Amino acid sequence: MPAQNSSRSRFRERNNALHRPEFMSLNQPMRPIQEGRSSARKPGAQLGQQQQQSQNDSNKERRESTLLPEEDCMQLNPSFKGIAINSLLAIDISLSKSMGVCAGSSSAWSSARPMVRLIGLTGHGIPWIGGTVFCLAKSITPAGQEVLLNLLFALILDVLMVAGVQKLVKRKGPSEVPAGFMDYLMMDVYAFPAGQASRAAMVVKFFFNHLVLAVPLRILLVIWALFIGISRVMIGRHHLTDVLCGFVFGYIHYRVLEFLWLPSNACQFLISIIAI
């Protein structure tokens, strides 16, 4: 009997479906529910934190992009006016650098640099103001004193106006040539507008209207003014547009002088005060 019972129990175990390989996991003890839930939540929580962090980073980048200055932002649809201005500025810089043949010691015409600087010096403010003061001190006629005093007033006005515009614009030259001692005295430190060109244009216009000059002298004055403008570009102190705008400024300064012209009586009164 015992042997019969043992054989029956073995037969039952063999026929039991739970002992098959595909159902062996059902015989294993169940894990705690909380442990299973915590292990299931961990990957989801990490994924949520990563998504939140990436969203915060994207929001931060958007804020930084909105705070970028305008010069760092690329305009996808620039206007025709902006394209034209940028193209003209690029042409101006390229031509000015190509014409700066006396800008440095390694330039093509470096040996002619002293002569070119001398030409530019003839349009400097210090020789003109000093020469006008000397001639005014030697003049004895009221007409001559009137012309010279107004010329002195025009030169001072030109220096102050050019220095003010240069301080506002602060444009540097094409070759980064440092300003000299005389340039600092005349506050002619930056490139736009060209002070010598402005002064030359103003002086030429002044002489044409208030002095009796022959035609050859008039032509020489115009050539002198053009040479001054070209010399400033050749030594790398100014761009072409700086010189052209300097000529325009000189003409404007002369028109302002004509509007504020000091008559002979006012000139004599000022000369008497200075003499005292």
Side-chain angles (χ1 to χ4, degrees), residues 43-63:
Q46 292 178 357
L47 182 61
Q49 290 178 359
Q50 291 178 358
Q51 291 178 354
Q52 186 176 3
Q53 186 176 2
S54 62
Q55 187 176 3
N56 293 334
D57 294 339
S58 63
N59 293 334
K60 186 176 179 182
E61 290 177 358
R62 289 176 184 175
R63 293 195 198 98

Side-chain angles (χ1 to χ4, degrees), residues 20 36 62 72 105 118 135 141 148 195 201-202 218 258 263 265:
R20 294 181 182 179
R62 289 176 184 175
D72 292 339
S105 57
L118 182 61
C135 294
T141 60
L148 290 171
M202 189 268 298
R218 290 173 178 265
E258 287 291 314
N265 296 333

Side-chain angles (χ1 to χ4, degrees), residues 88-104 106-109 113 171-177 230-243:
L88 290 176
L89 288 177
I91 294 172
D92 175 38
I93 294 172
S94 177
L95 289 176
S96 301
K97 287 186 176 181
S98 63
M99 290 180 63
V101 293
C102 303
S106 60
S107 301
W109 292 8
R113 181 177 172 82
R171 187 187 189 189
K172 296 182 179 180
S175 301
E176 298 292 337
V177 177
I230 295 172
S231 68
R232 302 304 290 172
V233 179
M234 290 177 66
I235 65 173
R237 280 282 285 123
H238 298 281
H239 300 84
L240 281 174
T241 52
D242 301 334
V243 173

Side-chain angles (χ1 to χ4, degrees), residues 218-229:
R218 290 173 178 265
I219 295 174
L220 288 176
L221 281 175
V222 173
I223 294 174
W224 166 75
L226 293 176
F227 274 10
I228 286 180

Side-chain angles (χ1 to χ4, degrees), residues 188-256:
D188 189 7
V189 180
Y190 296 100
F192 181 88
Q196 277 88 339
S198 174
R199 196 168 300 111
M202 189 268 298
V203 168
V204 169
K205 185 64 177 176
F206 186 93
F207 285 179
F208 281 3
N209 288 5
H210 297 283
L211 295 179
V212 179
L213 299 175
V215 174
L217 289 177
R218 290 173 178 265
I219 295 174
L220 288 176
L221 281 175
V222 173
I223 294 174
W224 166 75
L226 293 176
F227 274 10
I228 286 180
I230 295 172
S231 68
R232 302 304 290 172
V233 179
M234 290 177 66
I235 65 173
R237 280 282 285 123
H238 298 281
H239 300 84
L240 281 174
T241 52
D242 301 334
V243 173
L244 294 177
C245 292
F247 289 148
V248 175
F249 270 79
Y251 178 78
I252 294 173
H253 295 161
Y254 175 77
R255 301 305 300 177
V256 173

Side-chain angles (χ1 to χ4, degrees), residues 12-24 26-27:
R12 287 176 184 174
E13 289 179 359
R14 289 176 185 174
N15 294 333
N16 192 358
L18 296 177
H19 290 283
R20 294 181 182 179
E22 58 268 22
F23 298 109
M24 288 296 291
L26 297 176
N27 293 329

Side-chain angles (χ1 to χ4, degrees), residues 144-161:
Q145 292 174 351
E146 178 184 357
V147 172
L148 290 171
L149 191 59
N150 280 280
L151 177 59
L152 179 63
F153 175 62
L155 292 170
I156 295 173
L157 176 67
D158 179 78
V159 169
L160 295 178
M161 293 295 292

